[in-house]
Amino acid sequence: MATRFWHPVADMHAVAAGGELWLDHGSGAHIWDVEGRRYVDATAGLWYANVGYGRDEIVDAAAAQMRRLHAYSHYGDVSTEPTSRLAERIASLAPIDDAVVFFASGGGESVETTVKMVRRYWSLTGEPDRTVIVTRERCYHGLAGYGTSIVGTDVFKAGVGPLVGDTIRVPWASADALADAIDEIGAERVAAFFCEPIIGAGGVLLPPEGYLDAVQSVCRDRGVLFVVDEVICGFGRVGDWFASTRFGLEPDAITFAKGITSGYVPLGGVIVGPRLRDAFWSAEAGVWRHGYTYSGHATATAAAHPNLDILEREGLLGRALELELELADALGPLAEHALVGEVRAGLGAVAAVQIDESVVAADPGLPDRVTLGARDHGVLTRTLVGGGLQVSPPLVVDREGVDEIASGLRAALDDVAAQG
Ligand code: PLP
């Protein structure tokens, strides 16, 4: 037995045969493995390490909270100072007037919470037939029960039998298609549209000009709740606090995770506007029996504060705007490579080098060989759905680090091309 660790999202036959990559420590935008090899982190972990690695002030805040009171259930009327203060702080950053925050432990739980919340909202407000959840093809909303049911790529659903009903997908780039789908099914059946503003794990598909505004209007015109999943985009990744702030959206709810703590401690949640809140907080609504052991975990919320301080103090939202240009500039020339179809970049610190579709069709394992090969050239990246290579470094990466990513990916592409 090569390992007893069953890895998430892994081909365990290959891992057991090929071995594991053991990472050891990190600093800024770089990570070292246990052999001492240095890598530039092209993916910020899994789109989360916005402030980079080795931030003592986050470690100190988490340790101090652990010494004081590491956690206590926040069910009912219980709270802790960092948790209540974080809810205030997140609400003040969000583009939703008078917002409140429901905490979870990660993106998946945030999505589960929000699907249940929007369906129950309609039940509380006398329209219980509004159960349908609409999402974009290629979208990703995590892999828990509801998340797997609304995900936009079928590979995540393979072999697990019936999932949650009343979910539909619409073409990812068309607001008209959303309108048509809602009209066809009947708005009186539709609970919410969950919009991943940049489709991330599904390939880094940037929203077409005007798309986000248009889908918000489609929802508003039909009384459908508009939920934006900002698990990737939130807290700096797109050069603003949220994609919703950057694009002037006012969703009914925003899911978040990742960048709220830069992943130092798992934390997620949903920012909820007055429309949803009022229904749940009314005298008649009673207890909503939903929540998690770690909802509002005090160590996680304590870690979030210095993370937000760093984002503010070091101007990392502005740095993401610079990276928007630097990534496009550094990665753009890779589009000419024989194995590459296109480079998608130009919205915050999020990009993908897409292996040509015909190459992927002929040799589906090729993108993974490039990803693994990039390690030999000092780059940690990841293969996205459809064969794109993820580029979303920590926001603290400098231009030299960006160039390291581009040259490492080019070298890996050359190696794989040479292998034939
Ligand atoms: N939503 C989006 C947009 C995501 O990208 C992810 C994870 O990458 C999730 C939800 C699920 O988050 P988690 O993996 O923390 O459950």
Side-chain angles (χ1 to χ4, degrees):
M1 176 83 54
T3 180
R4 295 208 175 274
F5 172 31
W6 188 335
H7 293 233
V9 189
D11 172 349
M12 282 312 294
H13 180 76
V15 173
E20 297 163 314
L21 170 67
W22 281 24
L23 300 178
D24 185 62
H25 64 281
S27 175
H30 288 86
I31 294 197
W32 285 258
D33 67 18
V34 290
E35 313 285 344
R37 278 187 295 257
R38 176 183 182 267
Y39 306 90
V40 58
D41 176 16
T43 60
L46 210 46
W47 329 83
Y48 54 72
N50 289 0
V51 302
Y53 299 93
R55 292 294 196 153
D56 286 340
E57 70 185 276
I58 300 179
V59 178
D60 292 345
Q65 184 61 41
M66 281 187 179
R67 286 197 183 90
R68 196 181 184 87
L69 177 69
H70 75 279
Y72 197 85
S73 159
H74 288 71
Y75 279 25
D77 64 350
V78 178
S79 189
T80 47
E81 190 277 337
T83 300
S84 284
R85 188 159 58 87
L86 187 64
E88 287 279 346
R89 198 165 174 185
I90 292 172
S92 73
L93 297 173
I96 301 179
D97 277 343
D98 205 13
V100 293
V101 180
F102 191 107
F103 286 112
S105 300
E109 281 187 358
S110 309
V111 169
E112 301 303 288
T113 297
T114 313
V115 173
K116 287 171 75 176
M117 189 185 286
V118 297
R119 284 186 167 180
R120 185 169 157 88
Y121 165 82
W122 290 113
S123 178
L124 287 169
T125 56
E127 294 187 64
D129 291 338
R130 282 199 188 245
T131 50
V132 175
I133 307 292
V134 187
T135 53
R136 305 172 74 188
E137 285 169 2
R138 301 282 297 265
C139 71
Y140 184 82
H141 297 286
L143 298 178
Y146 286 115
T148 307
S149 304
I150 65 176
V151 74
T153 313
D154 284 342
V155 286
F156 296 106
K157 304 180 181 194
V160 296
L163 288 156
V164 175
D166 284 358
T167 71
I168 57 169
R169 251 69 54 211
V170 292
W172 68 269
S174 165
D176 288 343
L178 173 66
D180 291 347
I182 296 174
D183 293 344
E184 190 178 318
I185 205 164
E188 70 288 350
R189 291 273 294 110
V190 180
F193 173 53
F194 275 58
C195 179
E196 190 190 9
I198 294 176
I199 290 179
V204 180
L205 307 178
L206 307 178
E209 179 93 35
Y211 171 83
L212 295 171
D213 226 24
V215 290
Q216 175 171 266
S217 300
V218 166
C219 292
R220 290 275 175 275
D221 293 348
R222 290 160 179 78
V224 168
L225 291 163
F226 180 52
V227 178
V228 179
D229 183 343
E230 301 246 19
V231 165
I232 287 175
C233 294
F235 304 103
R237 175 83 19 216
V238 292
D240 214 318
W241 285 109
F242 299 94
S244 297
T245 45
R246 174 140 185 196
F247 289 98
L249 306 174
E250 288 176 50
D252 294 298
I254 292 174
T255 51
F256 66 90
K258 302 188 188 275
I260 181 62
T261 56
S262 288
Y264 277 78
V265 187
L267 180 65
V270 46
I271 308 168
V272 184
R275 181 174 170 193
L276 285 159
R277 181 206 56 204
D278 288 351
F280 284 76
W281 291 28
S282 74
E284 304 76 47
V287 177
W288 185 30
R289 295 199 181 279
H290 175 80
Y292 303 100
T293 296
Y294 299 129
S295 284
H297 191 284
T299 299
T301 55
H305 287 286
N307 176 65
L308 295 179
D309 295 343
I310 293 168
L311 287 169
E312 282 167 357
R313 191 177 66 231
E314 298 186 4
L316 293 181
L317 277 51
R319 177 66 192 135
L321 288 178
E322 291 170 5
L323 283 167
E324 184 166 306
L325 304 175
E326 289 181 17
L327 289 174
D329 183 49
L331 300 173
L334 293 178
E336 306 307 319
H337 195 281
L339 294 181
V340 175
E342 64 173 352
V343 170
R344 291 188 285 274
L347 179 51
V350 190
V353 176
Q354 176 65 49
I355 306 296
D356 192 82
E357 274 171 27
S358 61
V359 172
V360 179
D363 183 357
L366 185 140
D368 279 341
R369 295 205 299 282
V370 179
T371 290
L372 284 178
R375 291 180 186 171
D376 296 333
H377 298 284
V379 178
L380 290 179
T381 182
R382 184 172 84 103
T383 311
L384 299 165
V385 172
L389 309 177
Q390 179 178 335
V391 182
S392 58
L395 305 181
V396 292
V397 73
D398 58 12
R399 177 65 205 229
E400 205 180 316
V402 169
D403 290 338
E404 263 177 66
I405 294 171
S407 60
L409 293 182
R410 176 178 292 281
L413 287 160
D414 286 347
D415 288 351
V416 170
Q419 286 153 16

